[in-house]
Amino acid sequence: MMEKVIVHEVGLRDGLQNQSKHVHTDSKLEILSALIASGIKSIEVTSFVSPKAVPQMSDAKELYQSLPKKPGLHFEALVPNLKGYERATESGAKTIALVLASTDTMNRKNINMSLDEALKVNLDVIRRANNEGIRARCYISTALHCPFENYVNPIEVLKIADKLDTAGADELVIADTTGGGNPQQVDELFKALVISHEPKKLAGHFHDTRGMGLLLAWVALQHGVRKFDSSIGGLGGCPFAPGATGNLATEDLVFMLNQSGYETGIDIVKVRNAVKVAQGYVDQKLGGNIVGWLDTQKSL
Ligand code: HMG
Ligand code: MG
C-alpha cells in the first residue's frame, strides 16, 4: 500500500500576506475552490493578526465564515496571541496555527514580543486550545536560519519543541522562514527531533528562497515526516523576514511525492490550474520548477 503524505496548502495565508496588491475575499475563495478541486484537503486559509500589521488578512472573519462545508476538508488559521485565538475560534476555527520563532529578534520583529514573552503566550494558548477541544499546530520559525541573528542553535529549537509538546501542542512545524537552511542541518535537526517526538507529530515548512525547499522536504521525509506545507505557485514570503521569498511550490512538492510513490490524493494538472487562477490576482510571477515542463505535456 502506498504511504500517504499530507500536502498542507499555505498560499492563501503565507503567500498572500506578502502581496501588496489587495486580494478580495471572493478572489481568495475562487483560489480556494481551485485548490480543493485539485484534491488538496488541508489548507491554512488566513491569519487572525493585527490588520495594521498585515492588511491583506483583515477579512479573516468574513473569509473563515464563507468556507465550504464539504466533509473531509481541513481548514486552519494562524494566530499570534490570545486575541487572535479568540477571533479565530469565534469565527469557527477548529485548528489554529501558533507562531513562535527560535530567536529573540525574529519574535520581536514578527509579533512584537521577546522570545520569553512569545513562549509564554504560545503555551497559554495551547493550554486554552486543549481545554476547548481546538487543535493547536505550532510553528517553530527560524528553525534553521534567522535573518537578524543569522546562526540558530539547534539545541534551542529542540528545547522549544519540547516545551510546546509538553504543553499539549498537536503538531510541531519546523519552519525555514528565510529558506536559508541546508540539507545537512535538516538531517541533523530531524534526527534529533524524532528521538523525543513522534514523526507523525512533525511537519516541515520550507521556503524556497535558495531553491532548496524540495531537497529539505525530501530529507525530512527520510526521517518519517509525512506532512509538508507548500504554497500554490510558490506564492509569498514573510513580510517581517527580509529577503524571504515564497514557500516551496505546491506543484513541485506534489509532483515529487506522486512520482516517488507516495499518495497525496492530489492531481498535478488541477494544481497547475489553481496556479493559473492565483496568477490572476497577484503581481508576482507564479509557478514552481515543474510548471515549464508540465506546460509542454499534451497528456498526463
Ligand atoms: P502589538 O502592536 O504589539 O499588539 O502587535 P498590542 O497587543 O499592543 O495591540 C495593538 C493593537 O492591535 C490593539 O488594537 C489590539 O487590540 C490589536 P488598538 O487598541 O490599537 O485598536 N491586536 C489585534 N487585532 C487583531 N488581531 C489580533 C490582535 N492582537 C492585537 N490577533 C501583534 C502584536 C502580534 C498583534 C502584531 O505584531 C501582529 O499581528 N503580528 C502578526 C505578524 C504576522 O502576521 N506575521 C506573519 C505570520 S508568521 C509567518 O509568516 C511565519 C510562518 O510562515 C512560518 C515560517 O515561515 O517561519 C508561520
Ligand atoms: Mg512561512
Side-chain angles (χ1 to χ4, degrees):
M1 208 171 74
M2 285 163 89
E3 256 197 277
K4 284 192 180 152
V5 175
I6 298 174
V7 173
H8 179 70
E9 172 63 41
V10 296
L12 290 168
R13 195 278 304 166
D14 206 346
L16 292 184
Q17 72 184 9
N18 210 27
Q19 297 296 313
S20 47
K21 184 174 167 183
H22 177 71
V23 184
H24 194 269
T25 313
D26 288 343
S27 313
K28 293 180 184 177
L29 289 167
E30 196 188 328
I31 300 170
L32 181 69
S33 288
L35 290 166
I36 293 170
S38 76
I40 293 173
K41 291 191 161 52
S42 183
I43 305 171
E44 190 168 302
V45 283
T46 190
S47 58
F48 289 84
V49 297
S50 157
K52 283 183 203 138
V54 189
Q56 194 72 262
M57 298 290 130
S58 57
D59 65 344
K61 181 177 178 185
E62 193 190 344
L63 181 71
Y64 223 92
Q65 293 182 338
S66 310
L67 295 176
K69 304 280 183 290
K70 239 173 87 185
L73 298 176
H74 173 86
F75 299 122
E76 77 183 31
L78 183 140
V79 307
N81 55 16
L82 192 56
K83 177 162 181 157
Y85 172 84
E86 287 174 346
R87 286 179 62 217
T89 49
E90 278 160 21
S91 302
K94 298 281 180 255
T95 299
I96 47 108
L98 281 154
V99 58
L100 174 67
S102 71
T103 61
D104 192 67
T105 319
M106 187 63 211
N107 283 301
R108 289 180 192 276
K109 298 279 183 187
N110 194 32
I111 51 175
N112 199 23
M113 295 175 214
S114 67
L115 174 53
D116 287 346
E117 286 163 341
L119 182 61
K120 183 176 180 320
V121 167
N122 271 255
L123 299 184
D124 287 348
V125 175
I126 291 169
R127 291 187 193 110
R128 168 107 177 243
N130 283 180
N131 283 337
E132 295 179 356
I134 300 293
R135 205 178 135 75
R137 186 169 198 250
C138 296
Y139 282 110
I140 305 179
S141 286
T142 55
L144 302 171
H145 169 257
C146 173
F148 306 104
E149 298 185 21
N150 197 24
Y151 175 70
V152 171
N153 185 347
I155 303 293
E156 290 306 317
V157 178
L158 295 171
K159 278 191 203 160
I160 290 172
D162 284 348
K163 286 179 184 155
L164 296 172
D165 202 357
T166 306
D170 291 289
E171 196 175 312
L172 302 169
V173 191
I174 303 305
D176 184 15
T177 315
T178 60
N182 65 59
Q184 178 76 23
Q185 270 181 302
V186 174
D187 187 41
E188 285 168 8
L189 184 57
F190 278 91
K191 200 180 281 167
L193 278 165
V194 296
I195 295 170
S196 350
H197 311 279
E198 280 184 84
K200 70 173 185 218
K201 226 180 182 183
L202 300 172
H205 173 107
F206 300 115
H207 284 255
D208 210 19
T209 315
R210 305 190 204 180
M212 295 271 183
L214 205 52
L215 186 52
L216 303 190
W218 181 258
V219 173
L221 191 75
Q222 304 317 305
H223 289 285
V225 178
R226 293 292 178 267
K227 184 167 178 181
F228 295 96
D229 291 6
S230 60
S231 95
I232 190 74
L235 185 66
C238 176
F240 308 99
T245 59
N247 295 77
L248 165 60
T250 302
E251 55 275 23
D252 288 347
L253 178 64
V254 168
F255 190 80
M256 177 186 82
L257 292 169
N258 287 355
Q259 286 281 304
S260 306
Y262 292 93
E263 188 188 328
T264 61
I266 301 169
D267 179 330
I268 190 71
V269 176
K270 292 183 178 164
V271 174
R272 173 67 184 109
N273 183 54
V275 178
K276 286 183 187 154
V277 174
Q279 183 68 82
Y281 296 110
V282 295
D283 288 332
Q284 178 188 354
K285 171 109 179 65
L286 298 184
N289 290 317
I290 200 63
V291 157
W293 179 83
L294 278 177
D295 288 350
T296 63
Q297 303 305 298
K298 296 220 166 19
S299 64
L300 270 175

